[in-house]
Amino acid sequence: MMKEMKRPERGKSLFRFAAPQLFYPLAGALAPWFAAAAAALTIIGLWLAFFVAPTDAQQGEVYRVIFIHVPAAWMSMFVYLIMAFWSAVGLVMNTRLSFMMARALAPTGAMFCVVALVTGALWGKPTWGAYWVWDARLTSQLLLLFLYFGFMALTEAIEDPRRADKAGAIIALVGAVNVPIIYFSVKWWNTLHQGASVSLTKAPSMAATMLAGMLVMALASWAYTIAVTLWRVRPLILERERHAEWVAAELDALEGKV
Amino acid sequence: MKPRSKRLLLVAGAVALLVGAVALVLNAFQQNLVFFHTPTEVAEGKAPVGRAFRIGGMVETGSIRRAADGVTVQFAITDTAKVIPVSYKGSLPDLFSEGKGAVVQGTLGPDGQFQASEVLAKHDENYMPPEAQHAVDQAKKAAQTVAQ
Amino acid sequence: MQWESWSAFWQMGGAAPFVWGSYGITALLVVGELIMVMRRRKDALRRLLRLRRAKAGGSGGRRAFEEIVE
C-alpha cells in the first residue's frame, strides 16, 4: 500500500491527477480562473436580477430574493451529493484525495445551506406571513444543515485522519438520502413551500429574463464553489502528505513567505 | 483534565447536541408531513379532533368580510369541492387575497366555523411580469366564456 | 430599465429590508468564508513550516514542536 502512495502514476489519463502531488499544483492553477469566472458571472447575474428581470405580478419586487435563494438551495443539495460521491469513491478505491475533497466541500455546502435558509426566511415573512414553518421542505433543508455540521464536527474531532475520513464518509452517504427528500418534498407531501419553478420534466414557469438571471447566478455559485474548494483542499493536501518529499520541496519554496 | 479526555468530552457533547437536534427535526418532520388538510378531508372527518390543525386551500372569491371592529376577518377556504368558513383576528400577509392559496391554523368549532390563530398565504411557482399575468387572465376569461 | 429612479431601486417596492437583507447577509457569508479559507491556509502553512523547523532542530523549534504534539 505504501508503494502506490510514494510513486504517483505517470499515465496519460486524467486519473493521474488523483495523485495529490499532481493535483496540488493543478488546483492552484485552476482556482483563480474559477474565482474570476464567479466574480464575472455574479456581476452579470446581479445586473440581470435587478435591471433586466421585470417585477413579478404576484409578489412585486420581493421576489428578487429568488436570484440567490434558489441557486443557494440547489448548491447546498448538490454539494452534499458531490461530497457523498467523493466519500464513496474514497471508501471503494481507497484514494486519499477523495476524502480531502469531501472535507474541502463541506463548509461551502453548509454556507449555501445557511444562505438558503436565511434568504428563505426573509422571503417567507413578506409573502407567506411567517419567517419559518415546519413544513416538509423547510424541515428537511434544516436537517441538511445539521448533516453538514455533523460531518464537519466529526471529521474535525476525530484525530486519526483515516478514521475521521471513514466516519465522515458514513455521515455523507447516509445523509445523501435526505437530498431527494428535500427535492421532492413539495411533490410528495403538501407543503407551504411552492413547487419547483424549474425542473427537468417540465417547461420552466418563469419569464425568460427572470430564468436567465437565476441560471447565471447558479453558474456563479458553481464557479465560486469550485474555486473555494480548490483553495481549501490545497493546505489540506500539504498537511496530510507532509511526510512526502514533494511537500518538503513545496515548503522550502514557501519558507519566509507566509 | 488531560487534553485527551477534554477533547473526548467535547466530542461527546457535540455528538449529543447534534443527535438531539436531528431528533427534534425528525420529530417535527413527522408531525408536519401533512402540513395542512384540505377542506374535503375536514368535511370527511379526517382532520385531527381536539387539537389545532391547518387547512389549506383557496380563499373563495367574494367571501372576505371585515367585521366592524376592524380586526376580525371572515372568509371561506375551499378546494372547489367543499367550503369551510374561517374567522380570524389579526393582520393578514400581503399576498392574502381572494382566489389565491392560503393555509390557516386553528381549531374547528362545533358550529363548523374554523377559528384561525394564524393565516399564511401560499403562492404558486409561477413568476411573470404583470403584463404577462394580465394576458393570462384575459385568456382564461375568454376560455371560460367559450366554455359557457 | 426597471426603475423610475435610484430611490425607487433602493426601496424595492417596500420590500427593501427583505431583499437587501438577503443580499447583504449572503455577501457577508461569502466574504467571511473567503477570509476563513485564507486564514486557514496561512495557519496550516505556518504550522507545517514550524514543524519542519522543529524537526531540523533549529532555534525556537522546541516550543513549536510541543504545540504540535499537544
Side-chain angles (χ1 to χ4, degrees):
Chain A
M1 200 158 58
M2 289 306 284
K3 217 182 269 170
E4 67 169 24
M5 269 188 201
K6 281 223 175 87
R7 202 147 45 95
E9 256 185 70
R10 290 271 171 208
K12 279 267 182 249
S13 93
L14 271 176
F15 285 109
R16 71 181 186 278
F17 288 114
Q21 180 179 359
L22 293 175
F23 189 74
Y24 180 83
L26 179 72
L30 288 178
W33 292 101
F34 281 104
L41 285 165
T42 304
I43 292 169
I44 298 169
L46 288 178
W47 174 69
L48 287 169
F50 284 105
F51 297 106
V52 179
T55 305
D56 178 55
Q58 206 178 184
Q59 303 185 15
E61 307 300 349
V62 75
Y63 95 96
R64 292 183 199 275
V65 174
I66 203 174
F67 298 108
I68 35 177
H69 177 75
V70 171
W74 279 346
M75 219 54 216
S76 69
M77 291 188 278
F78 216 89
V79 167
Y80 201 92
L81 288 182
I82 304 171
M83 230 171 75
F85 166 78
W86 282 124
S87 296
V89 170
L91 286 179
V92 174
M93 320 264 279
N94 208 10
T95 42
R96 289 154 296 153
L97 188 59
S98 314
F99 291 122
M100 295 184 216
M101 285 303 284
R103 280 209 199 187
L105 279 161
T108 303
M111 194 275 287
F112 277 117
C113 199
V114 171
V115 168
L117 289 168
V118 170
T119 57
L122 286 172
W123 193 6
K125 185 62 185 169
T127 53
W128 298 342
Y131 287 109
W132 182 263
V133 292
W134 290 97
D135 83 348
R137 168 58 71 82
L138 277 68
T139 308
S140 52
Q141 181 74 24
L142 183 64
L143 187 61
L144 183 69
L145 183 64
F146 288 144
L147 286 168
Y148 274 121
F149 285 163
F151 178 91
M152 290 194 287
L154 205 61
T155 49
E156 286 290 321
I158 300 175
E159 255 184 282
D160 175 18
R162 283 174 166 269
R163 279 174 55 203
D165 284 344
K166 295 225 166 88
I170 290 168
I171 289 203
L173 285 170
V174 172
V177 178
N178 187 41
V179 173
I181 292 181
I182 299 174
Y183 188 80
F184 291 110
S185 57
V186 290
K187 273 193 192 169
W188 291 344
W189 303 293
N190 50 25
T191 54
L192 185 62
H193 197 287
Q194 66 283 4
S197 297
V198 181
S199 76
L200 295 175
T201 49
K202 68 173 178 67
S205 53
M206 283 181 97
T209 46
M210 296 174 176
L211 182 66
M214 208 169 86
L215 293 180
V216 171
M217 290 301 277
L219 284 178
S221 50
W222 265 98
Y224 171 82
T225 303
I226 296 172
V228 174
T229 305
L230 292 178
W231 273 327
R232 198 181 276 122
V233 84
R234 271 165 58 88
L236 216 58
I237 293 175
L238 290 186
E239 279 191 320
R240 291 285 197 91
E241 305 286 308
R242 60 175 173 271
H243 302 300
E245 266 170 49
W246 71 270
V247 175
E250 198 70 41
L251 288 173
D252 275 335
L254 282 164
E255 190 74 69
K257 282 187 195 161
V258 199
Chain B
M1 212 190 292
K2 275 186 197 159
R4 185 174 288 271
S5 45
K6 208 169 159 186
R7 193 176 289 126
L8 191 74
L9 210 69
L10 217 71
V11 173
V15 169
L17 262 176
L18 204 79
V19 168
V22 169
L24 277 177
V25 166
L26 284 178
N27 183 44
F29 190 75
Q30 207 181 9
Q31 268 182 11
N32 292 310
L33 262 187
V34 180
F35 188 68
F36 56 80
H37 297 267
T38 62
T40 303
E41 283 169 10
V42 176
E44 285 167 357
K46 282 182 187 158
V49 186
R51 70 171 174 92
F53 65 97
R54 298 188 195 89
I55 305 177
M58 203 94 96
V59 181
E60 198 173 43
T61 312
S63 73
I64 301 181
R65 270 181 222 355
R66 277 164 213 280
D69 63 0
V71 282
T72 310
V73 191
Q74 305 264 355
F75 57 91
I77 201 149
T78 175
D79 55 0
T80 68
K82 295 278 186 228
V83 181
I84 304 235
V86 180
S87 168
Y88 172 67
K89 233 181 222 185
S91 61
L92 293 160
D94 291 349
L95 287 190
F96 179 88
S97 68
E98 293 180 348
K100 290 279 155 73
V103 175
V104 295
Q105 180 171 16
T107 48
L108 194 63
D111 52 348
Q113 176 95 13
F114 193 81
Q115 287 291 338
S117 57
E118 191 181 20
V119 174
L120 300 169
K122 180 169 163 53
H123 63 80
D124 60 32
E125 66 274 25
N126 298 311
Y127 299 91
M128 57 179 102
E131 309 87 66
Q133 180 71 60
H134 184 71
V136 169
D137 292 344
Q138 292 294 320
K140 261 192 202 152
K141 237 181 241 171
Q144 267 172 9
T145 340
V146 170
Q148 276 163 14
Chain C
M1 188 61 80
Q2 301 298 318
W3 311 96
E4 310 236 317
S5 65
W6 278 106
S7 75
F9 174 74
W10 295 115
Q11 277 163 18
M12 270 296 137
F18 303 108
V19 175
W20 298 125
S22 291
Y23 281 81
I25 288 169
T26 306
L28 279 180
L29 282 167
V30 166
V31 170
E33 191 190 14
L34 288 172
I35 290 172
M36 261 167 70
V37 166
M38 297 306 154
R39 193 178 287 167
R40 280 198 86 154
R41 171 179 175 271
K42 224 177 206 174
D43 288 351
L45 292 180
R46 280 196 182 138
R47 202 162 55 237
L48 283 171
L49 287 170
R50 256 200 322 245
L51 179 66
R52 218 162 59 99
R53 268 180 243 135
K55 260 192 194 155
S59 63
R62 185 79 214 147
R63 217 189 69 224
F65 188 67
E66 273 161 13
E67 243 172 77
I68 292 148
V69 167
E70 177 221 320

